[in-house]
Amino acid sequence: MQITMLGSFEVRTDDGGLADVPGARLRALVIALALEAGRMVPKGTLVDWIWGSQPPADASNALQRLVSRLRKALPAGSIEGHPEGYRLAVPPDAVDAVRFERLVARGRFGDALALWRGAAMQDVGPLESAAFDAAVTRLEGLRLTALEDRFDAEIKLGHGASLITELTDLVVAHPLRESLVGSLMRALAAAGRENEAVLVFQRTREALAEALGVDPSPDLSALHVALLRGSIGRRQSNLRAELTSYVGKDADQTSVLRLIARHRLTTLTGPGGTGKTRLATEAGRALLDTTPDGVWLVELAAIGADGDVAQATLAALGRRDALLGEAPNADAADRVVATLRDREALLILDNCEHVIEAAAAFAYRLLGECRRLRILATSREPLGITGEALWQVEPLDVRSDAVQLLRDRAGAVRKDLGTDPHTRATMERVCRALDGMPLAIELAAARLRTMSLDQLADRLDDRFRLLTGGSRTALPRHRTLRAVVDWSWELLSDAERTVLRRLSVFSGGASLEAAEKVCAGDALELLTALTEKSLVVTDGGGAPRYRMLGTIKEYADRRLAEAWESDLTRRAHLDYFTSLAETAEPHLRRAEQLEWLARLEAEHDNIGAAMRGALAAGEAGGAMRLAANAGWYWWLGGHKAEGNELILAAATLAGEADDEDRAVVLALVTLFVTAGHGDQFRAEDWIRKAHELARRVRGGHPALRFVFAMERMLRGPAELPTAFDPLLTDDDPWVRALARLQTGKTRVMLGDGSRETDAQLETALAEFRALGERWGISFALTEVANRVATRGEFDRACELYEQAVAVVVETGLIEDVVSMRSRQAQLYWLKGDREASASALAEAQRYAERVAWPSALAELALVKVDLARWGGDLEEARRQLALATVLLGEDAEEGNVVATVQDLLGYLAPSAEEARAHRVTALRAASEAGIAPQIAGVLVGIADLALRREQFERAARLLAASDAVRGLSVHGHPDVDRIAEACRRHLGSGFTEVAVSDWRELAEVTLAS
């Protein structure tokens, strides 16, 4: 619902219709509540507002009847009753008067005034209410205040002449309002009508004396004196009035004005098209009233590289202006000095980059001989004078100011741009592709004359051909995007051009060392020069990284292709980052892994770009070598989804490659493929291929040693317990620790409940801690935690998971945080701490929003299934299970995943017969997978089916069989406890005497019946 009262009174409902609110008192009631939207208004206040000093005898009942009528007129639920009053349930911004006051308070006078459509509350009707009249008076007063602020701003910008008619009408209506009178006097003076301004003052002085018996205020009197002295009036400046609004640089302008106030030379630097000239002229315009001898713009772009800067300045100052003194027989520079020597002026030297030496020398002389002069320069590089203050003009924020600029400029060529989320997102996409560069955005907006916004966004991959529709009155280098960058390119030396075009091969920036290897030449000096010329940007507080805006990068990439250097540079880039990954790889399995992870993370985009470049070029050898050395980083650094894609692409790329590199890549494929809900049997082909290659090479990469263990596991169940034994005496302590951990994990999978299995896991944890290797520590912590949780030690299990989370957060492995916090949420629930469970689940969700690894997201969904089911919310459980199934994708067809999903469906099935079908499938899949804890879990589910059928003894026997398969008795599990309690109630002492039967036969009998 929207309520308007700044003009005609309207109540518009959400569907666009108008609510009929008849009568002055009913409308007054709406307004009284709307002005306090969202807050309770006391009944007494409402009575005073509606009836004033003459309330009815039974005011409370009269008000209640009026509210009842209003409830019928407004949408249901709009009016809330309270013991002390009533509340209108709408947000404050749904009321134009409230929104107006908020905008005024924030100084957004233009937006505030745009809400007015006439006199406030003009058609409410006659009311004998002082409160109502006071509200109207207050709103009208605020409107005048906003108008006065707008007038002052417009007059400062040189738009006073256009305001004279409006100001004259307002002064006639409010002859004693001195601030309006002052605005009219300044507007008249700005238009050269000083005599009329003096007459306005005289009439106001007479009106004040007659009406109030007072003289004009000191401020108005001082303005009158200044008019008589001729110190205000037509400004001394050659700044032209702008044809478009100024968007997005208000904060920059404030900062630049501070610099101008503190320094005599300020230079605005930045790449072409960022709006340096407009920022300079807007800053100059803001200083017109406080710069006695004027603000003068010297446009240097048109004079050529050999042009005379002093002569251009003389032309800008203009001989016709009284500011120019005469200096006969002097050269241009001497005449400028003679003109400005005793003047307090601001000189804007615009576009100095192509005459940088001459401009610097000229500015240096002027500042030395004209002590009251200030200079504001714009250039793509600093003038390089001692005492120069610099301000880097950055592109616009692509999410706010850039979108506002695009909408503003596009509105001039088409009127159908919506405000829906899709339009907003597309505009952001356009602005992001154009780096938030104002000139590029304006060129793009011009293209919207002949294409839709979506068409524009889809074609920006060829931005230099597309953005060619600049203003005919603009400088030639501002009429196309290509010309903007060409201008900067032509000013570079050959060496600078070489480094710039080769730098385009980097993604995410380049370190100095990388640039030296890939770009060649004296990279430091050349990169410094390119940074000074605003073509390269530096990031980072310590060792800087060098990068280019997207537009410059695309341009440089085209120049690289024109120079026939693309392949050469790409290979140098690939070699460098392969070497870096190769150096870092062994350190990732030691205590120093954080340092090396940070180094690789800084180059993540470059490593990915190098890999994709090698894949696109079909270079199997290069792709395989980089994948072999970067694979563990992708896994460990929280880039599993991307790493999975790139590793698989390398593994399937045909061509010559080193056998050891290929074997390592195939081994890493098994790591990614079997992660999460996969198993080694799914990766059987990969393992066998890796094993065949590993037998032929002598490489010592740890991944190859584990290939032999994985291959032994494929031979059959008899090999499983000892598959990792040969690695327990390996020379590499990391290999020994991981082998011990895998041995313990395998024994758990086989249903070994012995303390020896616990010891294997605990010892592996101690060994990883001794190494300081965080991934191994976290892996071991979770295995130990799950083991102790099975025994019912939930406090310890939660603490171990807390330690595991702390460790992986250090490495950036956020996918693992999702699954760890999810499991921890389960454990907290099991120990009865619902608040901690909800907190852990919420954190898992926050991390999940940052990852793309389906296994982690599926793990979270599956945990939500259990928590919802245990809490009795079966609909939510079904919804989360459906989501998990989608996330699992191909994994959903794996035996252990089928067992998990079907087991859960069995619990959620509405009937015993439907549950039985799911239990049959779950048992078959779990039996094929052969994982003891999962088989044990499925047996609990079959016990639940027996319980549904009231087969209590059989349910109890299934629970006992589940413990036997697992090798441990489960403690504190909701399903187990629920089934056991039901059996105990019905069997009494017989419950403890149940014998353990063959689980297969028992399960089959139960499912067959």
Side-chain angles (χ1 to χ4, degrees), residues 237-439:
S237 175
N238 66 338
L239 296 179
R240 293 185 298 273
E242 296 290 351
L243 301 179
T244 57
S245 60
Y246 187 51
V247 177
K249 293 288 185 181
D250 293 341
D252 279 33
Q253 182 175 328
T254 299
S255 299
V256 168
L257 290 173
R258 289 198 192 100
L259 290 176
I260 294 172
R262 297 172 186 168
H263 305 272
R264 295 187 58 219
L265 171 61
T266 301
T267 302
L268 309 183
T269 62
T274 50
K276 298 184 295 296
T277 297
R278 185 68 185 267
L279 175 58
T281 57
E282 292 295 332
R285 213 181 310 279
L287 294 171
L288 283 171
D289 289 341
T290 58
T291 308
D293 296 311
V295 177
W296 306 92
L297 174 65
V298 182
E299 297 174 321
L300 300 176
I303 68 173
D306 298 324
D308 190 332
V309 177
Q311 189 62 49
T313 304
L314 276 178
L317 292 171
R319 292 183 59 83
R320 64 187 180 282
D321 199 286
L323 180 68
L324 266 175
E326 289 298 328
N329 304 318
D331 65 14
D334 290 337
R335 293 182 65 198
V336 173
V337 170
T339 300
L340 298 175
R341 177 172 283 116
D342 298 319
R343 304 287 184 175
E344 186 176 344
L346 175 68
L347 199 63
I348 301 175
L349 299 179
D350 189 35
N351 292 302
C352 297
E353 55 270 358
H354 63 302
V355 288
I356 193 71
E357 297 292 339
F362 178 68
Y364 182 74
R365 181 180 176 190
L366 284 185
L367 293 170
E369 299 187 39
C370 307
R371 299 184 179 279
R372 301 174 67 196
L373 176 70
R374 295 179 185 274
I375 293 178
L376 175 61
T378 76
S379 177
R380 299 187 191 185
E381 62 180 302
L383 298 188
I385 301 174
T386 301
E388 175 183 28
L390 297 176
W391 182 260
Q392 178 75 20
V393 181
E394 302 285 351
L396 298 173
D397 185 329
V398 298
R399 292 170 298 178
S400 54
D401 295 333
V403 172
Q404 182 184 346
L405 177 63
L406 178 58
R407 185 176 291 281
D408 181 87
R409 299 301 189 259
V413 298
R414 64 185 311 143
K415 306 301 181 185
D416 60 346
L417 283 178
T419 57
D420 56 285
H422 172 74
T423 299
R424 170 80 188 194
T426 307
M427 295 180 86
E428 282 191 24
R429 181 155 65 97
V430 169
C431 294
R432 189 174 294 106
L434 298 176
D435 306 306
M437 302 281 281
L439 177 62

Side-chain angles (χ1 to χ4, degrees), residues 583-604:
T583 302
E585 205 270 349
H587 298 284
L588 298 181
R589 292 184 293 277
R590 295 294 185 268
E592 63 269 26
Q593 65 185 171
L594 291 184
E595 173 192 344
W596 285 93
L597 275 173
R599 290 186 62 177
L600 293 177
E601 187 64 32
E603 303 296 356
H604 175 77

Side-chain angles (χ1 to χ4, degrees), residues 91 115 316 417 481 519 530 590 804 862 885 891 902:
L115 297 173
L417 283 178
L481 186 60
C519 299
L530 291 168
R590 295 294 185 268
L862 289 172
T885 304
D891 282 348
Q902 291 296 319

Side-chain angles (χ1 to χ4, degrees), residues 627-750:
N629 288 288
W632 187 237
Y633 154 68
W634 286 322
W635 176 272
L636 190 61
H639 305 287
K640 288 181 180 176
E642 182 182 11
N644 183 51
E645 170 203 341
L646 296 176
I647 286 280
L648 281 171
T652 55
L653 186 63
E656 292 295 324
D658 180 81
D659 280 349
E660 181 177 352
D661 289 338
R662 189 179 292 276
V664 170
V665 168
L666 293 177
L668 289 171
V669 167
T670 66
L671 173 67
F672 283 91
V673 169
T674 60
H677 296 274
D679 57 45
Q680 71 272 16
F681 301 104
R682 178 185 171 194
E684 182 173 349
D685 288 343
W686 295 110
I687 294 171
R688 295 197 187 282
K689 291 175 183 176
H691 180 255
E692 183 62 31
L693 280 172
R695 292 171 58 192
R696 303 204 306 257
V697 300
R698 295 184 177 180
H701 194 285
L704 299 183
R705 272 110 85 188
F706 282 95
V707 162
F708 289 97
M710 297 286 281
E711 192 274 337
R712 279 193 293 274
M713 295 178 76
L714 296 177
R715 297 176 188 175
E719 296 287 339
L720 293 178
T722 59
F724 293 93
D725 284 1
L727 301 180
L728 296 175
T729 57
D730 195 274
D731 291 339
D732 186 333
W734 184 86
V735 171
R736 293 198 302 271
L738 183 57
R740 193 175 306 283
L741 181 58
Q742 292 287 14
T743 297
K745 183 177 178 181
T746 301
R747 290 183 175 182
V748 171
M749 291 170 59
L750 294 173

Side-chain angles (χ1 to χ4, degrees), residues 389-569:
L390 297 176
W391 182 260
Q392 178 75 20
V393 181
E394 302 285 351
L396 298 173
D397 185 329
V398 298
R399 292 170 298 178
S400 54
D401 295 333
V403 172
Q404 182 184 346
L405 177 63
L406 178 58
R407 185 176 291 281
D408 181 87
R409 299 301 189 259
V413 298
R414 64 185 311 143
K415 306 301 181 185
D416 60 346
L417 283 178
T419 57
D420 56 285
H422 172 74
T423 299
R424 170 80 188 194
T426 307
M427 295 180 86
E428 282 191 24
R429 181 155 65 97
V430 169
C431 294
R432 189 174 294 106
L434 298 176
D435 306 306
M437 302 281 281
L439 177 62
I441 291 171
E442 296 197 359
L443 291 171
R447 273 295 184 188
L448 292 175
R449 288 193 297 264
T450 55
M451 61 173 53
S452 71
L453 182 62
D454 285 321
Q455 288 173 326
L456 173 68
D458 292 340
R459 285 165 172 76
L460 284 177
D461 55 346
D462 193 6
R463 68 189 77 185
F464 292 110
R465 184 179 65 83
L466 183 67
L467 303 184
T468 58
S471 170
R472 289 190 179 94
T473 61
L475 291 167
R477 62 188 180 86
H478 281 173
R479 294 180 192 173
T480 72
L481 186 60
R482 172 87 187 207
V484 173
V485 191
D486 279 340
W487 169 269
S488 296
W489 178 264
E490 296 302 326
L491 298 177
L492 301 179
S493 67
D494 288 342
E496 289 169 339
R497 292 176 185 174
T498 298
V499 169
L500 185 67
R501 64 178 179 249
R502 292 181 180 177
L503 195 65
S504 68
V505 77
F506 287 93
S507 182
S511 65
L512 176 59
E513 179 186 1
E516 286 174 334
K517 295 291 186 182
V518 176
C519 299
D522 188 356
L524 175 59
E525 293 300 322
L526 294 170
L527 286 170
T528 301
L530 291 168
T531 303
E532 296 253 328
K533 293 172 181 176
S534 303
L535 289 168
V536 172
V537 179
T538 58
D539 294 326
R545 293 183 63 80
Y546 301 90
R547 64 175 179 87
M548 294 182 284
L549 296 176
T551 297
I552 305 298
K553 187 176 186 299
E554 182 178 329
Y555 179 93
D557 183 62
R558 293 186 178 206
R559 290 291 191 176
L560 187 70
E562 291 170 6
W564 296 95
E565 294 179 349
S566 297
D567 283 344
L568 175 70
T569 309

